[in-house]
Amino acid sequence: MELNPWGSSTIKDYDKLTREFGIQKMPNLGISNRYFRRGIIFGHRDFDKFWNADKRSVLTGIMPSGPMHLGHKMVVDQCVFYQSLGIKTRVLIADIEARVTRGISKEQAQKLALEEYLPNWIALGLDPKKADIYAQTNRSVPYYSFYSLLSGRITLNEMSAVYGNLTPGKITSALVQMGDILHPQLPEYDGPEHVLVPVGADQDPHIRLARGFAEKEHLIKPSATYHRFATGLEGGKMSSSRENSYIALNDPADVAVKKASNALTGGRNTAAEQKKKGGDISKCVVYELYAYHFAKSDKELAEIRRKCTTGEMLCGECKQMLAERVGEFMSSLAKKRERAKKEVGKMEIFR
Ligand code: TRP
Ligand code: SF4
């Protein structure tokens, strides 16, 4: 079954993106994870090298600023998937980045990481005992000396070419992020290995810079996968700065249900028109939520798509089912999160 949940216009945009930035298109490798199967991960750099490597790990960073929402869940799900395959998983708290780019204090960052982000990660399936979890402000010495070494190996012009407008804070956080991505390969840590960084396409500048550094420092170039953006509930991008654009994982279930019920659809102006033409799933956030998170199987997703595009099902019914799913998911997550908080309480991340 070929599942391609998006309309051609969206796909064209992602095509353009891959062409312009030299991102490879994700081939079908038969990986049994919905982000791969459903084309949500659309591109990569050297994924094949990572996938075929014996020594490998997955790494991602959490910036403790703003609420954790469904957009963030996409990376968590991917890490949990790799962890289930026995692949070493590294999760870092980007508290230096939060401090220098968002003015978030040490206390605020710690509170967010320990009370919201990590409990949600664990509630979503991360096994913290099998993960390497650290905070940027609290790693061991070779990490910082590597970071300062990187700052001497790049010019302002090279950085501007990748990032555009820079500030000292952005420079610091970009260099620390390079340190995050590359330091596992240092002899003081695990030595040369294939590190995969699963990201949204907006993080590609970091990936390009890290790969450039890797070459200079004789390390293995990190691999990356790129997933589609989470669309905001009212269209546009899902963003922490607009409360109605996201479902936060800490939203009370009834609030989340209400937000899901008000999400943008690809519905037509009248029921009659929709019965005739079907809905426009390429514009439909409800459909995207099913595709990314809430469809129980590919078969069910295909059925939703069929019923929508043939006009057999109208948006009211479709949203009603989504809202129920969201409610169930949120209540179950909240219970798991409360249990996870106790576990996080015992972890020593910010000594
Ligand atoms: N910059 C990332 C963000 O804004 C967080 C981050 C820091 C990160 N270091 C990283 C992500 C290393 C991936 C790999 O969310
Ligand atoms: Fe979207 Fe469902 Fe309406 Fe189709 S029927 S446009 S999938 S909400």
Side-chain angles (χ1 to χ4, degrees), residues 59-63 92 94 97 136 177 180-181 197 203 206:
L59 176 141
T60 190
I62 302 171
M63 168 134 78
L92 64 102
E97 180 175 0
Q136 285 177 331
Q177 181 151 347
D180 290 327
I181 295 174
V197 190
Q203 300 280 312
H206 295 311

Side-chain angles (χ1 to χ4, degrees), residues 7-19:
S8 55
S9 65
T10 327
I11 283 166
K12 254 190 218 143
D13 293 343
Y14 282 102
D15 274 354
K16 194 167 160 221
L17 206 105
T18 51
R19 273 200 312 277

Side-chain angles (χ1 to χ4, degrees), residues 308-325:
C308 165
T309 52
T310 57
E312 192 179 316
M313 172 174 66
L314 299 185
C315 297
E317 185 191 333
C318 189
K319 272 187 173 183
Q320 175 63 35
M321 180 167 95
L322 180 78
E324 280 164 23
R325 292 274 165 95

Side-chain angles (χ1 to χ4, degrees), residues 23 120 184 231 276 327:
I23 295 171
N120 277 314
T231 308
K276 202 163 135 221

